Structure formats: C-alpha cells, structure tokens
Amino acid sequence: MAKTVADVPRDPTEFVNSTGRGGRGDAGGRREGDAGGGRGFDPITVIGVSMGAAIALRIALRKLLPVRRALFVRPSFTDTPLPQNLRSFPVIGQLLSDVGGLEGVERFRESGLYADVRAASPLGASGLLAQFRYPLAVERAVRLVEVPRNRAFGSAAELAALDLPTAVVGARRDPVHPLEIAEQWSAGLGAPLTRLPARDDGVPAQLAELRAATRSWLASSDW
C-alpha cells in the first residue's frame, strides 16, 4: 500500500511555508526541471484540502514527488488568478495592513463581500472573520493579498494530462470552496466527485460523509 501524506495545508496564510514563495504564479512553488521528481521516495497518496488541493495537484503535475493517487477536497483555486470565491482574502489582508485587526474586522463586517458570504454560509463568514484574530495576522497579511493570485492549473488540458487515480470532494453552500470548482476539477480530471452536505447543516454530518468517502476511495483505488 502506498504511503499517505494527508492534510496538505488549507489556510492561504500557510502557502509560503508550504511552497517557499508568496508571489504570483502557479500554486506549488517549483518550476518543472527543479530539483525533485521524487527520487528516493516510495509512491505516496496525497490528500489536499482547500488551498492544499492546489498544492497537491501541482506536486502531482510537476512530479515533485512520486504520487500514486490523489484526493482533492473542497478545492478553492482554479486556472484563473484571484477567482471570485477568494476575493475576500486580499481585502482582509489590506485591512490588516492598513488599520490592524480590531478596526479591520469591523470594516470588513460592513462590506458586501462579507454580506455575500454570510448569506450563503454563516460558518464560512465566521472563518473569514477569524483571519483577523490569527496569531501574527498583521505580520502575515501580505500572504492573504498575494496567495489568491496563484493558479492551481493552467488549463483543462493540463488537468486531463494527469495520469493517475484521482477523486474530488466538494461541498454544498460553501462560498469560499464553491461546489462548481469541485465540479470543474472533477470534469477536467475525469475523476469521481463526492458532494458533501453543507457545513451549516451540521459539521459532524459533513465530516462523517467526508470520512466515508475518503475510506471508500482509498479502498477502491488500492491496487
């Protein structure tokens, strides 16, 4: 059985720690031809959540590690820099830089971006507000501004070229990780898609379905 690397970072603020860069470009950090390729590693399973799905995809596409199979959970990045679902993060980052966390969170609460997310998912809106309270939020604000400008992949053709077992998991009523993006990944990869219930309908229920889907896929793709 392949070894598993689980829970590739989910928070956009963790992107630089994972890839060594925070500027614009493609999620994943290294370019083709850089050191890597997985020499000396056993084949692995990668599971990436949110931004981690983009990082896991780049690892597989660029063969930075010998990926045997990959599961992408609630992807949030696409082939377009700064997609609509991630536009709150640069605003939060700029507010943190300009006025700090206390005033920034109040200004953000008054924004249309916050109102739109809260209308779809109160839990999703709470997650955005949490960005103002994280340790070193002000010092790390530039990451919120720059990371969403990265792309997960360049085109549908690039997705289709990934020749290994994959699966995608999306969730209903998740404005930061829209189900439509999971559907885009699933179609491009030719991968099965699991649709989870919304977190706002019960986090335990969503987690239970995610665990079940993960176990089922791991078992069905174990060859």
Side-chain angles (χ1 to χ4, degrees), residues 38-130:
R39 290 185 294 274
F41 290 91
D42 293 332
I44 61 171
T45 296
V46 292
I47 301 175
V49 182
S50 184
M51 183 192 66
I55 296 173
L57 178 63
R58 298 315 301 175
I59 288 172
L61 285 171
R62 295 178 177 181
K63 297 180 171 56
L64 299 178
L65 292 170
V67 177
R68 176 172 169 253
R69 55 186 178 174
L71 176 62
F72 307 113
V73 180
R74 294 166 55 232
S76 55
F77 287 73
T78 68
D79 56 345
T80 302
L82 196 58
Q84 182 63 38
N85 57 297
L86 298 181
R87 289 185 180 272
S88 292
F89 291 102
V91 174
I92 293 170
Q94 196 62 56
L95 285 170
L96 283 166
S97 295
D98 291 347
V99 299
L102 292 178
E103 183 176 347
V105 72
E106 296 306 319
R107 291 193 187 184
F108 185 68
R109 283 182 191 273
E110 298 172 356
S111 71
L113 286 170
Y114 175 75
D116 289 345
V117 171
R118 192 175 189 283
S121 170
L123 284 177
S126 294
L128 294 178
L129 295 182

Side-chain angles (χ1 to χ4, degrees), residues 124-201:
S126 294
L128 294 178
L129 295 182
Q131 296 290 339
F132 291 93
R133 301 191 299 270
Y134 285 148
L136 301 177
V138 172
E139 292 81 355
R140 294 159 61 92
V142 65
R143 305 180 187 201
L144 295 175
V145 174
E146 293 296 332
V147 168
R149 303 178 192 279
N150 288 270
R151 300 176 300 162
F153 54 93
S155 65
E158 187 176 26
L159 280 182
L162 186 61
D163 186 21
L164 51 86
T166 59
V168 183
V169 178
R172 295 176 173 85
R173 300 204 325 269
D174 187 339
V176 177
H177 315 86
L179 184 58
E180 293 79 6
I181 290 180
E183 291 171 342
Q184 179 187 11
W185 282 49
S186 173
L189 292 164
L193 172 65
T194 297
R195 295 172 174 85
L196 302 177
R199 284 189 300 165
D200 292 272
D201 292 340

Side-chain angles (χ1 to χ4, degrees), residues 20-44:
R21 65 192 291 266
R24 305 179 187 181
D26 293 334
R30 293 182 179 180
R31 301 295 182 191
E32 288 85 350
D34 286 354
R39 290 185 294 274
F41 290 91
D42 293 332
I44 61 171

